[in-house]
Amino acid sequence: MFTKKEYDFLIIGSGLAGLYAANYASDFGRVVLVTKTNLNVSNSYYAQGGIAAVTDSNDSPDLHLKDTFEAGRGLCDYPPVDILVNEGPERIKDLIDMGMQFDTLEGELSRGLEGGHHRRRVLHAGGDSTGKELVQFLTQKILDNKNIEVLENQMVYKLLCKNKQCFGVLTYNPCDHTNLKLKAKHTFLAMGGASAIYQRTTNPDTTVGDGIALAYAEGVELADMEFIQFHPSAFYSEDGNTFLISEAVRGEGAQLFNKKGERFMLDKHELAELAPRDVVARSIFEQMQENKDEFVYLRLDHLDSEIIKRRFPTLYKKCAQFGVDMCTQVPIAPAAHYMVGGIKTGLNGETNIANLYSFGELASSGVMGANRLASNSLLECLVFGKRAITHATNQSINNDIPKFETKELHCNPDIEHEFLNQVNLIASAMNSLLGIVRCQADISTLIDSLESIKQNFPFEENEYYSTRMLNLLKVCELMAKAALLREESRGGHIRSDFEQENKAYMAHSIQTKDKDLCFVPIENK
């Protein structure tokens, strides 16, 4: 039986995007923040490097915009990027005014340098734990706010949409097997990306694109699902355990060497190790392929070890746990890190469904293009999260909520074992067939494999593991089909059978339920 609740603002996701938006929305009405597991499980929590914004007189929004466009490989839309770089500093000021403590040096904000940036503009906190510090800071604000209710361990399994309007969601709690029907004037999807569908990933295992599957099922438009950003430097270990080695490490002077002792980035890009992520990740991949190695080295032995320990205390300890001295060299290899595409949104996070918004990694706002500029992600959460809430408060609401014929979700534990087996097989297939470099033959093989799993999985109607498997298969299928139709190499999408950029594809891919994929032009100035 459903427990029914009603709110003004329903926000799904407990990363920076959801937390910041919930805190802001609480000034305008009753808020519920729904999260899949616990409040502190999100990509934001694990973000190390920082948040990029102009806070220095030697920098400017125009320079930040230029770097964003260069990294985006021709697919950034001008209006949202212009908004990001100009409103970003205001959102940083908001956080500082709220009491957020960023790292300082001699009384000034400490600014790091990361790949693709031509200025030091990346703010950080706790050295190399910026995401954790931000999430913990805002989480406490949420818990102290009487106008915000938090619902943990809730898997959202259906959006309540009719006549191109959204009225809320259905959720299932796998811990106590209860079902909720949450109705709201405005619904906001901030559920993060999908990189945990890959075998080798920097993401928590909850980040499997649920928001993509939910939105697609209700006719929400998706954009650029072929673009997955592989972070160049994830820790390599023989047992498969990995964690992100922040781009900020290269910003402080770390260099990339292959196992022959050759520094290989010098002739790849003018910024060498600080080239945009797609360039660095592909270069590492090529070194691994050519030399038949499973990793390369990030060397720091030429840097001041005390500065490294002080700047990256968390990473230093993590490396030490694996017997690696970070102050000498660290074995690294690329890993799936960020979903560049997602739910297509306007300048205020709005979707093509009324009263339904999206922001953060789940959204495709037009900012990221074909390859996200380092540390723009946390800034995007703030800028478009606030814009979405502001937009929603100015909309007239249809108070006539239609009736929905809904069925509760149940859980059959007998399906769990098969579910976990297939999840691992899918992750392996995604890594090998839709990784950093892909081609028509591999993508077609992947699509056939996904269809085979779909035909043979022991699905049950309205069942928890069955629902999760259907969502996972749909997300992988959407990515694969978009990748198959973009017959070029651009940013995070590299085709070995179409190795060059093609001006014909200087456009966003759009996928909508019951419609063929199409390409729409980018928005210029």
Side-chain angles (χ1 to χ4, degrees), residues 139-401:
T139 295
Q140 195 56 53
K141 296 283 186 186
I142 297 295
L143 295 176
D144 292 342
N145 194 321
K146 295 180 180 179
N147 222 20
I148 302 174
E149 182 177 353
V150 176
L151 298 175
E152 295 182 309
N153 300 308
Q154 301 293 329
M155 186 187 88
V156 178
Y157 64 92
K158 183 172 177 56
L159 300 178
L160 297 174
C161 296
K162 274 190 180 177
N163 303 319
K164 302 213 76 170
Q165 292 187 72
C166 183
F167 299 92
V169 302
L170 302 180
T171 76
Y172 174 76
N173 186 330
C175 300
D176 60 14
H177 307 293
T178 56
N179 286 264
L180 295 178
K181 181 182 286 186
L182 306 177
K183 294 183 179 180
K185 295 177 181 177
H186 310 284
T187 300
F188 304 84
L189 304 180
M191 303 162 73
S195 291
I197 63 178
Y198 284 85
Q199 186 176 52
R200 182 170 168 78
T201 178
T202 63
N203 288 195
D205 58 13
T206 54
T207 314
V208 291
D210 297 321
I212 293 295
L214 284 170
Y216 182 81
E218 301 302 328
V220 177
E221 294 177 346
L222 308 177
D224 298 336
M225 288 298 295
E226 61 270 38
F227 294 106
I228 291 291
Q229 185 175 80
F230 285 78
H231 198 288
S233 53
F235 186 87
Y236 174 83
S237 63
E238 290 185 2
D239 61 7
N241 282 312
T242 188
F243 53 89
L244 183 65
I245 301 293
S246 170
E247 194 141 341
V249 177
R250 280 176 279 134
E252 295 302 321
Q255 298 170 346
L256 288 164
F257 286 79
N258 61 27
K259 291 174 76 173
K260 296 178 184 176
E262 300 166 334
R263 187 180 174 194
F264 55 86
M265 283 305 302
L266 290 172
D267 61 351
K268 298 291 186 181
H269 193 278
E270 63 174 3
L271 295 176
E273 282 82 7
L274 289 174
R277 286 179 177 171
D278 59 326
V279 177
V280 183
R282 182 174 187 175
S283 298
I284 293 172
F285 178 81
E286 289 171 348
Q287 290 293 318
M288 291 162 56
Q289 293 288 102
E290 289 172 13
N291 300 314
K292 295 182 172 55
D293 293 328
E294 294 183 316
F295 60 89
V296 297
Y297 285 112
L298 189 64
R299 283 179 50 176
L300 298 89
D301 52 0
H302 58 292
L303 303 175
D304 187 319
S305 61
E306 292 306 312
I307 291 177
I308 295 302
K309 292 176 187 177
R310 187 166 61 247
R311 176 69 174 85
F312 305 106
T314 306
L315 283 177
Y316 180 80
K317 290 176 184 175
K318 277 191 174 182
C319 288
Q321 290 171 3
F322 287 84
V324 172
D325 180 3
M326 183 181 170
C327 295
T328 55
Q329 61 183 15
V330 181
I332 57 104
H337 180 61
Y338 189 89
M339 184 179 73
V340 178
I343 294 175
K344 186 177 185 297
T345 62
L347 298 180
N348 299 294
E350 70 274 26
T351 70
N352 61 313
I353 302 294
N355 309 326
L356 181 66
Y357 297 80
S358 184
F359 42 84
E361 187 175 349
L362 177 57
S364 181
S365 65
V367 163
M368 303 306 179
N371 173 56
R372 173 173 69 86
L373 179 66
S375 289
N376 266 358
S377 52
L378 295 182
L379 191 68
E380 186 191 32
C381 293
L382 304 178
V383 169
F384 291 95
K386 182 167 185 177
R387 290 180 71 89
I389 299 297
T390 300
H391 186 270
T393 60
N394 292 318
Q395 302 304 300
S396 58
I397 299 300
N398 178 8
N399 292 316
D400 297 326
I401 300 177

Side-chain angles (χ1 to χ4, degrees), residues 5 20 31 35 39 115 160 169 192 197 214 224 260 321 366 383 403 431 457 468:
K5 298 187 174 190
Y20 183 80
V31 179
T35 184
L39 272 179
L160 297 174
V169 302
I197 63 178
L214 284 170
D224 298 336
K260 296 178 184 176
Q321 290 171 3
V383 169
K403 291 185 178 180
N431 239 66
F457 190 82
R468 288 179 62 185

Side-chain angles (χ1 to χ4, degrees), residues 78-92:
Y78 182 87
V81 177
D82 187 53
I83 287 170
L84 180 83
V85 299
N86 282 287
E87 295 185 10
E90 298 172 19
R91 300 291 76 80
I92 295 298

